[in-house]
Amino acid sequence: MLGESGAVATPPANFHGRSDATAPETSLGGRLWRDRWIYIFLLPTLLLYSAYTIWPVLATISYSFLDWNGFDAEGEFIGLANYAELLKDPQFWNAFANTLIFLAFAVPLRVGIALVLAVILNNPRLPFARIFRTALFLPVVTTGAIVGVVMRFVLDPTGGPINVALVDSGLLERPVNFLGQASLALYSAVAIWVWKWLGVTMIYWLAALQTIPKELYEAARIDGAGRVAQFRYVTLPLLVPFLLIITLITAVEATNVFDLLLTLTGGGPFYATEVIDIFIYRQAFAANIPRLGYASASALFFGACVLLLVALQVAVRARFKRPVDDR
């Protein structure tokens, strides 16, 4: 703005030597008042997160030091006795081993099958590709508990459609109790879990495949590379960073199979499918005398293991950044 003399007029300065239009609000109260609407809109989310996440975590830590059945007004403080018992409990380590076996089979199957399907469905010349993608994603939107209940009837040895089809086709001489045999139940649960969540991992891979420049495939075709060679020398090397992240995400998700296994097998037969989630549930709610303190210690131990997986994911992500991120 020009003054009467033609010189540029400057706004009046405050005691900090800054103009009033640019003077920062240095006091905490001033900043809070300026951003008040941000905190007002965040308040409901913060309250819900505190009530359903922060408080349960703090309560679990507190209960893990108590001998408490959940009915008495107060539990008896026993220090680290729950953790000491946990380390010697064969049922806990059976559940821990079942969880590891589930991870060892479910994660590679889900990641590998989803990659193959994504490569096939990423072909723009494939007819009805969108219909196939939708069909593979449909089980994802179904809750795990419902899938478990339905699959109990589908795999029923006395008339389930799977056994009927296998026997009628001559592949089996007699029906197989997929969920009732200790040697088959856990692997049957793995197959059902992989089928249910396959669509999510397929979407991850489809998104990763979209990042590969098409010019690379055109150059490979000009050099005489076929589809297998293109996949081996172009697709796979560029998918390695995504492979690490997707594998770790899938591993974390594979530790949360409570709803599926509870309705599918209930942890049986003979604890053959009892994973950590079901062990914690059984100690806290399904036992004749509930042991909430012991269950809390089990949950914290298992949670620490999951946190290690998450920390590994963060470390791997930092180590294997895509080159395009650094440009």
Side-chain angles (χ1 to χ4, degrees), residues 98 101 105 176-190 265 268-273:
N98 287 337
I101 293 172
F105 283 91
V176 176
N177 193 353
F178 290 100
L179 301 177
Q181 293 185 23
S183 59
L184 293 177
L186 186 61
Y187 303 104
S188 300
V190 166
T265 63
F270 309 111
Y271 305 105
T273 60

Side-chain angles (χ1 to χ4, degrees), residues 146-222:
I146 293 177
V147 170
V149 172
V150 171
M151 284 300 172
R152 286 175 58 185
F153 292 99
V154 171
L155 298 175
D156 187 86
T158 61
I162 296 295
N163 273 294
V164 170
L166 291 175
V167 172
D168 290 346
S169 63
L171 296 176
L172 293 178
E173 295 182 359
R174 58 181 181 273
V176 176
N177 193 353
F178 290 100
L179 301 177
Q181 293 185 23
S183 59
L184 293 177
L186 186 61
Y187 303 104
S188 300
V190 166
I192 295 170
W193 182 83
V194 169
W195 166 77
K196 182 192 181 322
W197 293 106
L198 190 64
V200 172
T201 312
M202 182 189 68
I203 295 298
Y204 294 158
W205 282 125
L206 284 171
L209 289 169
Q210 297 298 321
T211 65
I212 301 177
K214 295 181 180 179
E215 292 79 6
L216 296 178
Y217 292 109
E218 295 174 359
R221 283 194 294 269
I222 293 174

